[in-house]
Amino acid sequence: MPILMITGTGTEVGKTVTTAAVAAAALAAGRSVAVLKAAQTGVGPDERGDADEVARLAGPVTAAELARFPEPLAPGTAARRAGLAPVRPHEVAEAAAKLATEHELVLVEGAGGLLVRFDAAGGTLADAARLLNAPVLVVAPAGLGTLNTTELTARELRARELELLGVVIGSWPESPDLASRCNVADLPEVAGAPLLGALPAGAGALAPADFRAAAPGWLSARLDGSWAAEAFREREAL
């Protein structure tokens, strides 16, 4: 798994913090890591982007982004409104493949959900994953509504014959409600793929040293961690 695509079921689901946790766990396991943000939106030229935030939390990763657009919109829309060239799937694939020649793991973070458009032709992160033949990790929220968006994302991946590596809950609440606790069992069923971790709410606000020390405990062995789905289910689910 030299290249892993990381997408969400939507926006604001904890995708960047999850990317940082995966990077931190891989670094702790002794692997060299690069993080590629396919298209950064909603930040100015001198502001920190998502790849920078991953590096701040995770540690010594190679952080890269292909393009950034100032308005917080879908990349294709943001590029058009800014009068800038959009990012295209083949450019994402080429950049990730180059990074993979120099790193043991390359994490490619998308923008929003799987089918958010990069360009006017409708290119998406899914198209880049197909060009790379890379597995996809889906970050999902914990609570009500997540089963529908997770299953839709999983179905689209299967329809495109892409590998769904698993699902990570991007923000697990300190006091989970009934829906969240039920979703621990239901998410892997609707996704047809394992639950590979759960990050505690507020993980991104931890000091970097604390984040790096804790990250492997939030993720399963498949992601270089020590998190156990069954133990989590017994503790948190009904």
Side-chain angles (χ1 to χ4, degrees), residues 21-214:
V22 174
L27 287 169
R31 305 171 73 188
S32 58
V33 180
V35 176
L36 175 65
K37 181 69 177 181
Q40 177 69 64
T41 64
V43 297
D46 298 323
E47 294 180 286
R48 295 175 61 85
D50 291 344
D52 299 315
E53 178 64 6
V54 171
R56 184 186 73 83
L57 288 170
V61 302
T62 298
E65 62 181 38
L66 289 184
R68 60 168 53 194
F69 311 108
E71 295 180 315
L73 302 168
T77 304
R80 184 182 72 244
R81 286 179 51 83
L84 297 171
V87 171
R88 303 188 188 280
H90 74 87
E91 294 171 331
V92 179
E94 288 168 3
K98 183 177 185 301
L99 287 167
T101 66
E102 303 162 347
H103 301 82
E104 293 169 285
L105 177 64
V106 178
L107 304 175
V108 181
E109 183 186 346
L114 180 69
L115 298 186
V116 169
R117 295 190 171 197
F118 287 154
D119 57 26
T124 67
L125 187 72
D127 296 313
R130 165 54 56 204
L131 291 170
L132 292 163
N133 194 29
V136 179
L137 180 68
V138 172
V139 181
L144 196 65
T146 193
L147 299 181
N148 178 62
T149 52
T150 300
E151 184 164 3
L152 287 171
T153 302
R155 286 189 180 192
E156 183 65 23
L157 287 168
R158 286 195 294 271
R160 292 170 177 258
E161 299 183 338
L162 293 170
E163 178 189 353
L164 172 53
L165 186 72
V167 178
V168 169
I169 297 172
S171 180
W172 183 254
E174 183 176 350
S175 299
D177 60 13
L178 177 62
S180 297
R181 288 183 288 143
C182 289
N183 288 341
V184 173
D186 292 341
L187 272 169
E189 181 175 344
V190 301
L195 190 62
L196 295 181
L199 276 65
L206 292 174
D210 295 333
F211 183 93
R212 296 166 197 173

